[in-house]
Amino acid sequence: MNKQFLTTIALLPAMIVLPAIALPPATAAGAEAFTLTEDGQPRARIVVGRQPPETVGFAARELRDFVRKMSGVELPIAAAAEPGTPSILLGPAACEQLGAAALDGIERDGYLIQVAGGNLCVVGIDDAGPHTDVEALLARGVTHDVSAWNFHRGTLYGVYRLLEELGMRWFLPGEFGQRAPQRETLQFTGRIQENPHFITRTVGYWSLWVGVNFRKDWEAVTIMPGERDAIGFTPAENRLWELRMRGESFRIPLNHNPTRTQWFQRFGEEHPEYFALLPDGRRDQGSHAHLCYAHPGVADETVKDVKAFAAGQDAHQRGIMTEFPHNRNWNFDIALDRYYSVLPNDGFRQCTCAECRALVPETRERNQQHSRLVWDFVARVARETPEVNICNLAYGSYSIPYAGMEKLPPNVVVGFCAYSAPARLYYRDSFQQFEQLLERWAGLTGGRMAFWQHYLSSNRGEETAGMPEHVPEMYARAIRAMARYGNHAFCEMPADSIMLNLFNRYLLLKLFYDPSLDEQGLFEDFVVTFYGPDAGPVIARVYADIEQKTIRRFANNYAAFSVWERLFSDETMRGYHEQTDRALAEAAGTPYEGAVSAFKHYYLGLMDRGRMRYADPLAQLLASFNPELVSRRVDAELDDDARQAAWRAAAPVALGNTVNGRATAHRTEVRSCHDANHLYFRVRADLPGAADGPARSGKPGEVEGIEIYLDAPRSHRGYRRIAVDLTGAVHDYRYFDDVLLGDPDWRSGASAQVERTEDGYVVEVAVPWKSLGIAAEDAPQVEWGVLIGRTQAEPPQPQDRRSSTSIILRGELEQPGCFNALKLTK
């Protein structure tokens, strides 16, 4: 945080914004000035030409309306210039003034703003036709169909850039996020010619969808009730905001192909061999089926799909019965313009046929496991469809190039999806690894890369609810590294909270357009313009402290409970509220009061909400640390008596419920030990009448049973999950960043024995070291995270349905930051 900014910005007069801080200034040397309004009087007219493109007509109305907001003056809109009256020439009218060279060097979403011949010219590449009518699209509720918004609108973006230069700001959708400086005189001097660096500039995605996400679960801990209503957040306003922020007019398709092209519906019955062969001999079929990527038929049908799309055929002609009327019924997430995504389904399931197994080498590098299988398939499709750009994410188990990988065909677009959460790049040498892998992939591509970034803000779920993430320096640093190699950026960002993500979303859209912008200047402009010149510096000090603490959090890889204990303590939160109350006093009676109040109630309020989930367990934690599970070494091949003696010698850890951490009415405890071949767990659970009751097999978390979570080496990000129900059935799962990587991506090889008695049951689980990729002799040196959970199908009290060994866990078990430590001893 710029200290001089904090001490001097409060001297600025009210209602004055600082566009030069945040945006590159117009080139002004020797430039002619153009006056739009002067002393509350109009000094120009807006000229659109005869039969202008629909977007140019809309641009004229936007310019008129926002000039009126700032100056109180309404500029007339006309088809032609009037002799003796300066004109703001838009689109075709500007081209007539500037001549044939007007669009030289202007690319998609770019523009030229220039004073020429006494007129102000604003021009970009514009499409025309009813499909480009912005107001008609919004009136029909077409806000999130990417293919419907796939048209050029450069002049409109030039108008928005001009308005920014005059002082206008749009920090979030709707009137609440707009800031219009009150100036009777508006004047432009200089020349601006800009093109976006990233063609795709997506920030949000599911978070702002029309359906479920605008009608979200209002009881979720990640949502502050009433926030959307208070701020006036709607899908239409969000689309307008993205336009005013000069958001993408084209989005590269980078999503999962088999589901969106209905492989199961088209080929499931006639060609079961197209689908992944599972270890039990079944084919992986269903709505989210995985394919056999070594089968020539899979490549052939994919090529036919790509060629049909490139030839202009309707998706229905290929038997893909999806409905996307603006894109010939092809799902825009996998096919748009001259791009086609062949990305496998999420949670990649490897086919176990001989041909696929031959392409999966033995490697301990999880992120490289399926690279040859997937990328050889991508290369083959690309070679056979040179007329189309073939897209695929470097994702999950195929995110790292395989050894000896050859350069991909020039029409392959690699979507880089590793190290995709920039804040985590503060940890050790992660940023260096990020850059090295970027460079490695760039050397294998023939063109520009794309990027898919995951969850650039916290508050994603139970574990991180209310945790802020303010690290503009690292966001900018990562984007500039990306900009060296690619020009498409797709960023998933949860928007359960508007205020918690407010500046992050604004910053990212700015930097995706121009990565050279100064992130600190953008923040300084934001905090003073949105919260006001008096309250802004006070809020800035809160942000500055949050930034320092966020960096500490990720640099030290703090677990969730440590964030609240070490960083955002009760004392810290009281200090934030005291500062914000001072800011409220400064903003009282001004246009900024609502923004400061929203910061207090919805930004700090969500932090309070998240912290309160830990307030009770933190008190326990300070008195006695989260339980540690100790596993002692025993001799292999123990007989029954020796085995029972080993269990009696092991120290038990009791489970508490996941509502408040307290003991359950039916006690559950776990012990652990290990030998040269296995890691063992023994869970003893009270359950009256267990011997006589039915033993049901089913989905973990829904039937009576236990679950073992192992995070080793401990990352707080990924884990293996072994679930056992009372039938003795073992269910295996593996996760990374809350993404289910797929089954049978990993098999635990665990064996389980269940003994039921009149008063309860005992589950003993043996997990082979081999399946964990850790040698028994190395295991004591590894940092382990472990969690044992239990589901009670019919608990005596509702809060006991789920329980775990972690006293600081609240909600779902899948929170690796709240796992216990596992200590292996001799």
Side-chain angles (χ1 to χ4, degrees):
M1 183 72 61
N2 187 321
K3 293 181 179 178
Q4 185 179 3
F5 161 73
L6 293 176
T7 56
T8 63
I9 204 70
L11 301 177
L12 295 172
M15 299 304 296
I16 299 296
V17 298
L18 303 172
I21 290 179
L23 302 169
T27 305
E32 185 179 352
F34 183 88
T35 302
L36 292 80
T37 67
E38 185 175 24
D39 297 330
Q41 298 297 316
R43 290 291 179 259
R45 63 166 43 194
I46 303 169
V47 175
V48 296
R50 302 192 184 280
Q51 297 184 327
E54 284 77 357
T55 55
V56 173
F58 180 68
R61 294 188 290 278
E62 287 281 89
L63 179 59
R64 176 197 63 196
D65 293 348
F66 283 112
V67 165
R68 184 176 60 240
K69 276 180 177 288
M70 289 187 284
S71 67
V73 176
E74 182 166 310
L75 301 180
I77 299 174
E82 180 179 283
T85 302
S87 296
I88 306 170
L89 304 174
L90 303 183
C95 285
E96 291 182 14
Q97 172 79 53
L98 297 173
L103 293 176
D104 287 355
I106 302 299
E107 301 170 4
R108 186 175 194 123
D109 296 346
Y111 40 77
L112 171 66
I113 308 171
Q114 179 178 337
V115 180
N119 296 317
L120 177 58
C121 300
V122 183
V123 64
I125 302 172
D126 300 307
D127 285 337
H131 69 287
T132 69
D133 189 331
V134 170
E135 289 165 315
L137 286 168
L138 294 177
R140 297 201 309 271
V142 182
T143 58
H144 283 72
D145 185 333
V146 172
S147 52
W149 292 90
N150 181 25
F151 55 83
H152 291 276
R153 42 186 179 266
T155 297
L156 176 62
Y157 285 0
V159 163
Y160 290 138
R161 179 64 178 88
L162 170 64
L163 287 165
E164 283 186 325
E165 192 69 20
L166 297 173
M168 193 67 213
R169 294 290 184 272
W170 301 276
F171 292 115
L172 58 78
E175 290 282 342
F176 188 89
Q178 294 178 12
R179 291 293 181 268
Q182 304 303 289
R183 298 171 176 170
E184 291 187 341
T185 297
L186 296 175
Q187 189 176 73
F188 173 83
T189 303
R191 180 181 187 275
I192 300 175
Q193 181 174 333
E194 293 175 340
N195 292 306
H197 179 88
F198 290 95
I199 300 170
T200 300
R201 304 183 295 281
T202 303
V203 177
Y205 195 54
W206 303 294
S207 57
L208 300 172
W209 204 256
V210 178
V212 64
N213 286 285
F214 270 92
R215 301 172 180 85
K216 286 184 77 81
D217 172 13
W218 297 99
E219 301 301 318
V221 71
T222 53
I223 294 173
M224 284 299 290
E227 183 180 23
R228 273 182 173 76
D229 291 339
I231 292 174
F233 213 74
T234 69
E237 289 288 0
N238 185 65
R239 170 55 67 179
L240 278 170
W241 177 73
E242 289 178 350
L243 291 174
R244 292 162 181 164
M245 290 292 292
R246 292 167 286 146
E248 65 195 11
S249 63
F250 168 78
R251 177 187 298 175
I252 193 172
L254 276 176
N255 229 303
H256 306 287
N257 178 281
T259 298
R260 288 168 175 80
T261 52
Q262 299 181 331
W263 272 79
F264 174 65
Q265 293 89 333
R266 291 193 290 162
F267 305 115
E269 185 174 340
E270 189 174 349
H271 291 286
E273 71 276 12
Y274 288 176
F275 299 86
L277 180 67
L278 301 178
D280 60 8
R282 292 181 299 112
R283 291 287 175 172
D284 180 32
Q285 294 184 322
S287 58
H288 292 277
H290 292 258
L291 307 181
C292 173
Y293 285 99
H295 196 291
V298 173
D300 291 343
E301 294 295 347
T302 301
V303 168
K304 290 177 185 177
D305 287 347
V306 177
K307 286 187 173 294
F309 172 70
Q313 293 182 23
D314 192 286
H316 293 176
Q317 294 176 260
R318 283 290 295 156
I320 304 169
M321 306 310 292
T322 52
E323 300 294 331
F324 292 89
H326 298 283
N327 198 38
R328 292 177 281 118
N329 288 312
W330 295 88
N331 188 314
F332 54 77
D333 280 331
I334 58 101
L336 189 64
D337 207 300
R338 306 302 294 179
Y339 293 83
Y340 192 97
S341 171
V342 297
L343 177 66
N345 275 343
D346 219 344
F348 188 78
R349 285 187 173 186
Q350 178 204 319
C351 175
T352 60
C353 74
E355 291 79 8
C356 284
R357 288 203 309 270
L359 296 174
V360 179
E362 288 290 333
T363 175
R364 295 185 67 175
E365 180 56 75
R366 181 191 65 80
N367 293 344
Q368 193 183 62
Q369 185 178 1
H370 299 123
S371 287
R372 181 183 293 275
L373 181 62
V374 172
W375 288 106
D376 282 4
F377 167 80
V378 172
R380 174 181 171 178
V381 173
R383 284 192 293 268
E384 296 186 31
T385 58
E387 67 274 30
V388 178
N389 295 303
I390 301 300
C391 310
N392 190 60
L393 286 181
Y395 176 49
S397 56
Y398 42 92
S399 59
I400 296 177
Y402 62 84
M405 184 171 171
E406 295 182 358
K407 191 166 185 175
L408 293 162
N411 61 320
V412 171
V413 179
V414 173
F416 188 87
C417 196
Y419 299 97
S420 58
R424 289 186 172 134
L425 297 176
Y426 281 111
Y427 184 66
R428 295 182 180 174
D429 60 348
S430 293
F431 192 88
Q432 181 182 355
Q433 295 177 31
F434 166 69
E435 289 190 302
Q436 289 171 347
L437 187 55
L438 262 178
E439 185 176 2
R440 189 173 169 189
W441 270 116
L444 293 169
T445 62
R448 304 292 283 167
M449 293 171 62
F451 301 88
W452 187 301
Q453 296 193 306
H454 282 91
Y455 313 111
L456 295 191
S457 180
S458 297
N459 193 50
R460 181 164 177 250
E462 292 279 343
E463 185 175 0
T464 58
M467 291 184 188
E469 185 175 304
H470 180 68
V471 283
E473 182 272 339
M474 183 54 82
Y475 282 8
R477 191 178 172 195
I479 289 171
R480 288 171 192 138
M482 292 156 51
R484 294 200 296 270
Y485 303 106
N487 59 352
H488 296 276
F490 193 114
C491 163
E492 289 182 34
M493 174 178 285
D496 285 9
S497 166
I498 297 169
M499 291 301 297
L500 202 67
N501 286 335
L502 169 58
F503 179 67
N504 289 341
R505 294 186 72 220
Y506 178 80
L507 173 71
L508 288 168
L509 277 174
K510 287 291 185 186
L511 291 178
F512 285 154
Y513 196 98
D514 182 359
S516 71
L517 290 176
D518 172 26
E519 69 278 6
Q520 185 57 45
L522 286 168
F523 175 75
E524 293 172 3
D525 177 72
F526 156 75
V527 79
V528 170
T529 310
F530 186 64
Y531 295 111
D534 298 315
V538 182
I539 300 295
R541 284 192 284 273
V542 177
Y543 271 111
D545 193 68
I546 289 172
E547 180 176 8
Q548 294 174 8
K549 287 178 166 58
T550 304
I551 293 171
R552 281 180 57 197
R553 169 191 169 188
F554 288 103
N556 293 283
N557 198 22
Y558 283 156
F561 65 87
S562 294
V563 173
W564 299 113
E565 178 192 359
R566 300 182 183 184
L567 302 178
F568 301 110
S569 65
D570 185 58
E571 181 182 1
T572 297
M573 294 306 302
R574 281 199 304 271
Y576 289 169
H577 278 287
E578 289 171 1
Q579 292 188 70
T580 305
D581 287 341
R582 287 197 293 273
L584 268 174
E586 296 285 356
T590 75
Y592 307 107
E593 185 175 5
V596 180
S597 178
F599 180 82
K600 177 178 177 64
H601 289 102
Y602 301 120
Y603 192 115
L604 297 184
L606 188 56
M607 290 182 68
D608 291 333
R609 187 180 177 96
R611 191 177 188 284
M612 282 302 296
R613 297 175 66 247
Y614 290 85
D616 176 59
L618 270 175
Q620 298 180 45
L621 184 65
L622 294 174
S624 61
F625 290 105
N626 207 23
E628 181 178 72
L629 194 59
V630 177
S631 176
R632 298 188 182 280
R633 176 79 178 241
V634 297
D635 294 331
E637 305 300 331
L638 295 176
D639 58 30
D640 286 345
D641 289 342
R643 195 164 110 262
Q644 292 303 321
W647 285 129
R648 286 194 296 272
V653 172
L655 278 63
N657 71 51
T658 59
V659 174
N660 54 33
R662 294 187 171 90
T664 56
H666 291 163
R667 181 178 173 82
T668 313
E669 62 180 31
V670 60
R671 291 173 165 86
S672 180
C673 64
H674 63 282
D675 60 24
N677 301 310
H678 294 88
L679 175 62
Y680 301 98
F681 295 93
R682 185 180 193 271
V683 179
R684 172 68 177 87
D686 290 348
L687 182 62
D692 300 324
R696 293 176 51 216
S697 184
K699 186 177 180 181
E702 295 182 358
V703 298
E704 184 78 38
I706 63 102
E707 296 170 64
I708 300 168
Y709 295 79
L710 295 170
D711 176 13
R714 192 165 193 176
S715 66
H716 304 302
R717 297 176 63 185
Y719 48 87
R720 294 171 169 87
R721 176 186 178 206
I722 303 165
V724 181
D725 57 46
L726 295 194
T727 69
V730 176
H731 307 266
D732 295 328
Y733 305 87
R734 190 170 62 162
Y735 298 78
F736 193 76
D737 279 345
D738 283 347
V739 175
L740 176 61
L741 298 178
D743 177 14
D745 255 4
W746 174 70
R747 289 290 188 184
S748 69
S751 60
Q753 294 181 355
V754 178
E755 178 187 354
R756 294 192 289 159
T757 66
E758 286 299 323
D759 60 351
Y761 60 86
V762 175
V763 178
E764 292 188 11
V765 182
V767 186
W769 291 118
K770 183 178 180 181
S771 72
L772 301 176
I774 298 173
E777 58 271 19
D778 297 332
Q781 284 74 51
V782 172
E783 184 180 358
W784 289 77
V786 66
L787 184 82
I788 310 301
R790 177 189 177 185
T791 298
Q792 295 191 55
E794 298 179 1
Q797 47 192 19
Q799 65 266 32
D800 289 354
R801 191 184 73 83
R802 306 299 298 279
S803 55
S804 81
T805 46
S806 174
I807 67 169
I808 50 89
L809 183 144
R810 295 292 179 269
E812 296 302 318
L813 301 180
E814 292 78 12
Q815 301 181 45
C818 297
F819 286 3
N820 309 85
L822 176 66
K823 183 178 181 181
L824 283 81
T825 65
K826 293 182 179 180

